[in-house]
């Protein structure tokens, strides 16, 4: 026997993570087994989830957000990468996301990480991923060299900029590696 609610909400026993009545059938065909399951925490958890699902529109919104969370973050990181590759100011991120939402990407309305600190962290994470990829290609290369220079940016801050030149798949490549405030 299976329990329809426990299967629907994918519940299991909290103690030993047993999925009897859910994915594994109960093989004890006695009334007492049914009564024990009916009184179990596993079944009560499934009943609570069913009530929330039927009653609360907030629960539906929460489940919708959870399902598309990874997809939304993937699209946002692709947008950040595009801004960086096209050398467009990172302050245009929210404007670009609004445009994409108006163009029909409805799931972007679930992107709530709009704070400046969070956006800066996302850019830094993406930068670290790109840097790791470059470093990995340099490590695989037989030949490489570093190009280093001291520059001054618009705000008159001195920076130490590092580029790396290496051979990858028979072609010479020069890529940005790192910058450091002096």
């Amino acid at each position: 026997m299976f329990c329809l609610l426990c299967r629907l909400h994918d519940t299991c026993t909290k103690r030993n993570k047993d999925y009897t009545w859910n994915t594994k059938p109960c093989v004890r065909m006695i009334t007492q087994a049914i009564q024990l399951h009916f009184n179990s925490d596993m079944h009560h958890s499934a009943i609570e989830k069913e009530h929330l699902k039927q009653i609360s529109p907030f629960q539906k919104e929460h489940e919708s957000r959870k399902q598309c969370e990874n997809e939304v973050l993937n699209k946002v990181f692709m947008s950040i990468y595009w801004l960086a590759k096209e050398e467009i100011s990172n302050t245009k991120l929210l404007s670009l996301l609004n445009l994409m939402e108006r163009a029909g990407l409805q799931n972007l309305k679930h992107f709530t990480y709009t704070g400046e600190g969070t956006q800066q962290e996302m850019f830094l994470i993406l930068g670290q991923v790109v840097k790791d990829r470059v470093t990995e290609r340099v490590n695989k290369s037989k030949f490489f060299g570093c190009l280093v220079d001291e520059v001054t940016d618009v705000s008159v801050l001195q920076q130490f900029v590092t580029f790396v030149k290496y051979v990858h798949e028979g072609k010479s490549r020069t890529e940005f590696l790192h910058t450091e405030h002096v």
Side-chain angles (χ1 to χ4, degrees):
M1 293 183 285
F2 292 100
C3 175
L4 179 65
L5 279 178
C6 292
R7 289 188 79 163
L8 181 65
H9 296 288
D10 197 27
T11 57
C12 66
T13 58
K14 293 178 182 176
R15 276 182 304 184
N16 57 2
K17 304 292 184 208
D18 184 22
Y19 283 88
T20 303
W21 295 93
N22 179 352
T23 55
K24 190 168 71 173
C26 177
V27 291
R28 299 184 318 166
M29 304 294 181
I30 56 175
T31 309
Q32 185 182 9
I34 297 170
Q35 191 64 38
L36 282 171
H37 174 68
F38 180 76
N39 294 326
S40 70
D41 290 336
M42 172 183 172
H43 190 70
H44 285 292
S45 175
I47 290 172
E48 282 181 30
K49 288 180 180 180
E50 183 65 22
H51 284 304
L52 281 174
K53 186 176 176 184
Q54 291 176 356
I55 296 170
S56 174
F58 301 112
Q59 179 67 21
K60 290 180 183 176
E61 180 69 20
H62 176 71
E63 287 178 5
S64 170
R65 283 182 185 209
K66 200 166 186 129
Q67 285 177 345
C68 65
E69 186 174 358
N70 286 338
E71 177 187 341
V72 168
L73 285 175
N74 187 23
K75 289 177 182 175
V76 170
F77 273 103
M78 284 175 35
S79 301
I80 290 172
Y81 184 73
W82 181 80
L83 285 174
K85 288 297 270 188
E86 295 295 318
E87 297 178 9
I88 298 173
S89 171
N90 58 2
T91 59
K92 299 292 184 185
L93 175 63
L94 292 180
S95 176
L96 176 63
L97 295 178
N98 286 334
L99 173 67
M100 290 170 61
E101 186 177 345
R102 287 183 189 168
L105 294 173
Q106 296 299 320
N107 290 341
L108 284 177
K109 68 182 177 187
H110 297 302
F111 180 70
T112 56
Y113 308 108
T114 56
E116 287 183 28
T118 307
Q119 290 179 34
Q120 181 181 8
E121 189 174 339
M122 293 174 84
F123 273 96
L124 291 173
I125 288 170
L126 190 63
Q128 186 62 45
V129 169
V130 171
K131 183 178 179 179
D132 290 345
R133 285 184 181 171
V134 170
T135 306
E136 183 180 317
R137 287 194 298 259
V138 169
N139 286 336
K140 290 180 181 177
S141 175
K142 292 182 181 180
F143 309 101
F144 70 91
C146 289
L147 306 157
V148 182
D149 194 10
E150 185 179 313
V151 295
T152 306
D153 68 4
V154 207
S155 62
V156 196
L157 284 174
Q158 289 184 324
Q159 295 181 339
F160 195 67
V161 182
T162 308
F163 292 86
V164 64
K165 188 168 188 167
Y166 62 98
V167 177
H168 179 69
E169 297 178 354
K171 294 181 182 177
S172 174
R173 297 182 73 167
T174 303
E175 295 192 43
F176 171 78
L177 186 63
H178 184 70
T179 184
E180 188 72 38
H181 293 294
V182 177

